[in-house]
Amino acid sequence: MGNKKNGRLRKKDIEPMVMNLFDNNPDTTFDLKTIYRELGLNTHPGKMLLMDILDSLLMDDYIRESPRFSYTLNTPMQVMEGTFHRKANGKNTFSPDNSEIPILVAERNSMHAMDGDRVRVTMLARRKGHLREAAVTDIIKRSDKCFVGTLQVRKNYAYLLTEDRTLATDIIIPKEYMRKGKNGDKAVVKVIEWEDGEKNPVGKVVDILGVAGENNAEMHAILAEYGLPYTYPKTVEKIADKIEPGITPEEIARREDMRDVLTFTIDPRDAKDFDDALSLRPAGNGMWEVGVHIADVSHYVTEGSAIDREALKRATSVYLVDRTVPMLPEHLCNFVCSLRPDEEKLTYSVIFLMNARGDIKGWHLAHTVIRSNHRFAYEEVQSLLESRGEASEEDYKYPSNSGSATPDIDEETANALIVLNRMAKELRKRRFAGGAVDFDRQEVRFEIDEKGHPESVYFKVAKDANKLVEEFMLLANRTVAESIGKVAKGTKAKVLPYRIHESPDPKKLMQLSDFVVKFGYKLRTGGSKDDISKNLNRLLGQVKGKKEQNVVEQVTLRAMMKAKYSTTNVGHYGLAFDYYTHFTSPIRRYPDLMVHRLLTKYADGGRSVSKEKYEELCEHCSEMEQTAASAERSSIKYKQVEFMSERLGETFRGTISGVTEFGLYVEIDENKCEGFVPLRDLVGDYYYFDERNYRLRGRSKGYCYNLGDSVNVQVVRADLFKKQLDFRLVREDAK
């Protein structure tokens, strides 16, 4: 097929060619680029038609997709095993082993399987025009999933009111399984029985978290809801408490001694686990030695030990609004490993030889011992940079809300911070010139009292002090990843967990392009990865400071793939790095600990480890990272509702942040608290949902509520149980 024909091709012309390609190559997996080439599809319209055809063939089970954007002829089996996923609407799904394509399981065919159960299913005969369906025939293994909610106690039994959307019915708890739970207690309950034909499952109380509404009970409930631990095992803590720093003359002799080099940490002002430090000293001829020092956790936590097993299970520290749930026992993360000022610490360091422009002239990796001279908060460093005229122009537009004064430090330290800041700016500039995508979004933070009650809301804005640390951490992560992954042609790289980020979903990019046109912006979605990155950056730059900024940024983020861990390196699209890993936070991330161990093993001449084993570990860490992020968002949502519960009846200016067939989501401009305006409360017309244009439109008067519109709302309800705010549009705003 030639280029000339591509623009005039129709779906019915291409579909037989696509099917022939798969039929003639039943055992071959084709990626998108290969299909484009095989069929001679060189134009944008032709490629978009192909995407539609592939979607249709996936829906018809003619082909399957695995990995993403790679397709193979489908040879379905009648009986399969895999994981059951329960949905509140009864449209449950089954995920077969070795396939990412879910299969529908109606409630009547579920055998009351629970979310996460391992099951065996039989495929049902396909009905024309319907999705394929399966029926559960055996529950092979029950999941450990528990439900969190509020106990409603009756005379001889209780039931659990839960907001878990995977369960549409209440759980009945017989008296003997209540563990002295009282009416209104927040409880963790496990389903122990659900007989076929019974409407409600039977459960037992596993733990009582406290009285609903109390801060500790609610935060523990959020953790339990996501299957995350809310206490640390005492046995593991006792083992950790016996660990000594062990910085003996013999240990120092085995390491590069950097105790006399100017070194400091820069962290949030409430941080206790300092896992990275920076050092700087002149190296002559206008050169500088820059040290990126990371807590040597692997020296203290040996693989397979009780502490290691617990850390792996958790895989990450979890940061809720009012607390940190650590990956490691407190004695390790806040004391032994933490790079506290004026204490000798064991570290694993990437040491660079750089000029003032941030060009790397050499580097080496070493186990070191350091002594931090200063512990800075980001706000203190920022204050210094601003007072010396070294901060970026944009930083002066956002006054610091911390009240941090410029730190009282000597000129050598002040100069070191300035030199590193200038280098970081050069590194950052180069990174974006190389195709990195600029996602600097504001984060919601709370000032809370000693009882966990939110007193005010503020926004965390990344300024130069944050970016200084970020750039050197990125540089260290990229450098160690390249040292393992970048090998001569024909040489196989040793196994390493990479931090990967795939290119954006082409279909979502097209939807983003269609969306931003409504605001007067153009986004080209064709070209190389570098072209797409530059176009995205141009768009994100154009919307800065505009009323639609937040909405456009959210939709742009949705077009991006999620970053994850994998032993198969595909590069990091968002950072525009061909090789990237996580090395700089082993106190709070398990992949960094794995990387430390492997770097040490390989430096000592060790052989490559099992790719299969480490890929499983990567998948586990990726899943736990997403779970932790969901719990963090849930805690923010809870505190937002709690904060707004004292502002019922008040009116705020907001922006429409979501449009559905049921109503509007509105985000208050001054505090980013989001609430819902039900469709029934939109008076003056009959509104219908215009999904294509992200809006509700009135049938009679034609008035529209568009995504990104500015509106006035009144806070009418704050439901802490559901973590939900309800708003009403203020009448003067209606037209």
Side-chain angles (χ1 to χ4, degrees), residues 92 174 516 523:
N92 309 312
V516 298
L523 175 68

Side-chain angles (χ1 to χ4, degrees), residues 620-634:
H620 167 69
C621 291
S622 297
E623 286 171 13
M624 293 305 294
E625 177 190 28
Q626 292 303 319
T627 302
S630 297
E632 181 182 349
R633 283 193 296 270
S634 191

Side-chain angles (χ1 to χ4, degrees), residues 20-207:
N20 283 336
L21 178 67
F22 286 109
D23 287 340
N24 294 332
N25 302 276
D27 299 319
T28 305
T29 299
F30 295 97
D31 60 28
L32 271 176
K33 286 184 179 176
T34 305
I35 302 174
Y36 293 154
R37 189 176 64 249
E38 290 287 332
L39 302 184
L41 297 171
N42 303 316
T43 66
H44 189 63
K47 290 177 179 179
M48 287 300 101
L49 273 177
L50 175 68
M51 293 297 292
D52 285 344
I53 291 164
L54 291 172
D55 280 349
S56 297
L57 294 177
L58 281 170
M59 178 64 78
D60 291 340
D61 303 325
Y62 190 83
I63 57 173
R64 55 189 170 86
E65 183 181 23
S66 185
R68 197 165 176 81
F69 303 126
S70 295
Y71 306 90
T72 315
L73 188 70
N74 195 23
T75 51
M77 298 168 64
Q78 195 65 24
V79 178
M80 289 183 279
E81 292 184 6
T83 307
F84 183 85
H85 303 286
R86 174 164 285 283
K87 305 287 174 66
N89 60 8
K91 295 181 179 179
N92 309 312
T93 59
F94 165 77
S95 296
D97 294 340
N98 306 316
S99 174
E100 295 177 6
I101 306 165
I103 300 166
L104 181 67
V105 181
E107 184 59 37
R108 64 183 178 277
N109 297 320
S110 72
M111 278 186 67
H112 289 327
M114 301 300 292
D115 194 53
D117 283 356
R118 180 161 184 79
V119 298
R120 186 176 293 113
V121 304
T122 298
M123 297 302 299
L124 301 177
R126 183 75 172 264
R127 292 181 292 163
K128 188 171 177 60
H130 288 72
L131 292 169
R132 64 174 178 164
E133 290 189 45
V136 176
T137 54
D138 289 293
I139 296 172
I140 301 168
K141 186 184 177 186
R142 286 285 189 188
S143 75
D144 292 327
K145 180 178 170 66
C146 289
F147 295 88
V148 182
T150 306
L151 288 178
Q152 300 293 302
V153 178
R154 299 295 177 261
K155 188 176 179 182
N156 296 311
Y157 70 95
Y159 60 92
L160 188 78
L161 289 178
T162 177
E163 275 303 296
D164 193 310
R165 291 174 186 173
T166 66
L167 198 63
T169 59
D170 298 329
I171 302 170
I172 301 296
I173 306 159
K175 194 173 183 178
E176 61 268 28
Y177 293 140
M178 280 168 46
R179 286 190 66 168
K180 299 181 180 177
K182 302 181 187 69
N183 196 55
D185 277 353
K186 211 82 179 181
V188 183
V189 170
K190 184 174 178 61
V191 171
I192 56 173
E193 180 184 300
W194 196 355
E195 295 293 337
D196 228 3
E198 292 292 330
K199 183 183 174 184
N200 298 85
V202 175
K204 68 174 181 179
V205 173
V206 174
D207 200 5

Side-chain angles (χ1 to χ4, degrees), residues 56 101 124 151 178 207 229 281 299-300 326 340 343 357 397 455 460 485 505 516 527 562 599 650 696 706 709:
S56 297
I101 306 165
L124 301 177
L151 288 178
M178 280 168 46
D207 200 5
R281 67 176 162 187
H299 177 80
Y300 299 102
R340 290 151 38 116
E343 293 180 11
R357 294 185 302 277
K397 297 175 187 174
E455 295 182 319
K460 179 186 165 190
D505 183 329
V516 298
K562 280 189 169 68
L599 288 170
E650 293 183 27
L696 291 176
N706 302 284
D709 279 357

Side-chain angles (χ1 to χ4, degrees), residues 143-375:
S143 75
D144 292 327
K145 180 178 170 66
C146 289
F147 295 88
V148 182
T150 306
L151 288 178
Q152 300 293 302
V153 178
R154 299 295 177 261
K155 188 176 179 182
N156 296 311
Y157 70 95
Y159 60 92
L160 188 78
L161 289 178
T162 177
E163 275 303 296
D164 193 310
R165 291 174 186 173
T166 66
L167 198 63
T169 59
D170 298 329
I171 302 170
I172 301 296
I173 306 159
K175 194 173 183 178
E176 61 268 28
Y177 293 140
M178 280 168 46
R179 286 190 66 168
K180 299 181 180 177
K182 302 181 187 69
N183 196 55
D185 277 353
K186 211 82 179 181
V188 183
V189 170
K190 184 174 178 61
V191 171
I192 56 173
E193 180 184 300
W194 196 355
E195 295 293 337
D196 228 3
E198 292 292 330
K199 183 183 174 184
N200 298 85
V202 175
K204 68 174 181 179
V205 173
V206 174
D207 200 5
I208 300 292
L209 303 175
V211 179
E214 286 182 354
N215 185 63
N216 253 357
E218 294 297 343
M219 292 301 107
H220 284 173
I222 287 169
L223 292 165
E225 181 185 340
Y226 289 98
L228 295 168
Y230 42 90
T231 57
Y232 216 96
K234 295 293 181 191
T235 51
V236 181
E237 282 187 334
K238 283 178 183 176
I239 295 169
D241 288 344
K242 293 176 184 174
I243 293 175
E244 298 289 338
I247 305 174
T248 61
E250 294 76 23
E251 186 58 42
I252 292 171
R254 284 193 283 268
R255 294 172 176 261
E256 193 169 323
D257 190 348
M258 300 189 72
R259 289 175 293 172
D260 294 332
V261 184
L262 175 62
T263 304
F264 37 78
T265 59
I266 310 173
D267 291 279
R269 61 179 183 265
D270 57 352
K272 293 177 183 174
D273 53 343
F274 314 133
D275 52 11
D276 58 78
L278 294 170
S279 69
L280 186 76
R281 67 176 162 187
N285 299 320
M287 303 296 288
W288 295 93
E289 180 195 83
V290 180
V292 180
H293 308 286
I294 309 302
D296 193 357
V297 176
S298 63
H299 177 80
Y300 299 102
V301 181
T302 54
E303 192 169 0
S305 65
I307 297 173
D308 182 56
R309 291 195 302 273
E310 184 65 27
L312 172 57
K313 190 167 123 186
R314 293 169 180 246
T316 180
S317 293
V318 183
Y319 295 89
L320 302 188
V321 168
D322 69 332
R323 70 194 63 202
T324 298
V325 183
M327 180 180 83
L328 295 172
E330 186 181 1
H331 182 64
L332 281 181
C333 64
N334 289 356
F335 297 98
V336 174
C337 296
S338 185
L339 308 183
R340 290 151 38 116
D342 301 317
E343 293 180 11
E344 293 179 348
K345 295 292 177 180
L346 302 182
T347 45
Y348 204 4
S349 307
V350 188
I351 301 161
F352 298 98
L353 183 65
M354 304 174 79
N355 63 21
R357 294 185 302 277
D359 299 315
I360 301 168
K361 301 301 181 182
W363 76 277
H364 70 281
L365 186 66
H367 287 94
T368 54
V369 58
I370 66 163
R371 186 182 184 92
S372 174
N373 304 97
H374 302 277
R375 177 270 196 264

